[in-house]
Amino acid sequence: MAILETIVIAFWAMLPAYVPNNAAVLAGGGRPIDGGRTWGDRRVLGDGKTWRGTAMGTLAGVALAAVLTVIEPTASDALGFAVPAFEPLAALGLAGGAMLGDILASFLKRRSGRQRGAMFPGLDQLDFVVVSLPLTALLATEWFQTWFTLEVILVVVVLTPILHVTTNVIAYKLGLKNEPW
Ligand code: CTP
Ligand code: K
Ligand code: MG
């Protein structure tokens, strides 16, 4: 498979997992998931993980997957190779897994003494991949095996941190995010 083709497929397949974090930044606020609870002298998750942000992030990812599925035949035609249409469970695994990964990362950040907004290099850039891919493999196994070949997974692992850093710096410069990570 040509490398450019692999990159396009990886990017397309991961879009429903990329969008939730950004949507959560825009839609977040309100009641924190941990309800303000602490474990020891630290918050369980912190004020940065809210019900609204999580719900809206997941919805945004699933909605994008639906749109991509509608335009898939046209896109595949124009590209000259097939990009994925999303099964509902694949969309849910990617979008919900991204939000879950972000929440687990905040849990780890709080446990390791990091305040809300603190940087955790590596985890910040890949938390959503680490959960969304296994969850999708679990929920939509055949679909996952069809599209997430070893090559695609390798591209995702390299491409995701680059995209994550870029979009977060842009969101920071636009004043949408408090920190550029
Ligand atoms: N957000 C949210 N719900 C989520 C994820 C994010 O409401 N599940 C919103 C919050 O307003 C959050 C912002 O998006 O402050 C940025 O997300 P993120 O960088 O993940 O959170 P931080 O505030 O940096 O907190 P943490 O240190 O826990 O990552
Ligand atoms: K995060
Ligand atoms: Mg942050």
Side-chain angles (χ1 to χ4, degrees):
M1 203 194 289
I3 183 71
L4 198 65
E5 195 174 316
T6 311
I7 291 172
V8 172
I9 290 172
F11 180 68
W12 179 286
M14 283 302 286
L15 269 174
Y18 287 151
V19 159
N21 283 286
N22 301 299
V25 172
L26 297 176
R31 249 177 78 75
I33 294 171
D34 68 8
R37 273 184 285 276
T38 55
W39 182 3
D41 56 357
R42 297 191 179 111
R43 285 287 292 275
V44 177
L45 299 174
D47 286 329
K49 304 297 113 140
T50 67
W51 288 110
R52 193 168 80 208
T54 308
M56 295 305 279
T58 307
L59 265 176
V62 170
L64 180 63
V67 171
L68 291 176
T69 299
V70 170
I71 65 171
E72 178 276 318
T74 315
S76 294
D77 236 30
L79 289 164
F81 59 87
V83 287
F86 295 88
E87 292 174 4
L89 281 179
L92 190 67
L94 289 165
M99 287 282 81
L100 200 60
D102 180 55
I103 290 168
L104 283 173
S106 289
F107 176 78
L108 293 177
K109 287 189 202 175
R110 302 300 91 83
R111 284 308 92 203
S112 61
R114 290 170 170 81
Q115 299 295 331
R116 173 189 180 182
M119 173 169 76
F120 197 148
L123 192 68
D124 276 327
Q125 288 74 37
L126 284 170
D127 53 19
F128 54 104
V129 174
V130 170
V131 177
S132 65
L133 294 197
L135 187 63
T136 306
L138 203 73
L139 292 177
T141 309
E142 272 184 42
W143 182 89
F144 183 83
Q145 284 171 344
T146 304
W147 294 105
F148 282 86
T149 58
L150 187 60
E151 288 95 332
V152 168
I153 291 173
L154 283 174
V155 167
V156 166
V157 169
V158 174
L159 183 73
T160 302
I162 298 171
L163 286 170
H164 192 270
V165 169
T166 313
T167 53
N168 282 317
V169 167
I170 292 171
Y172 172 71
K173 294 229 153 127
L174 290 175
L176 300 171
K177 219 170 177 295
N178 295 327
E179 310 88 16
W181 51 77

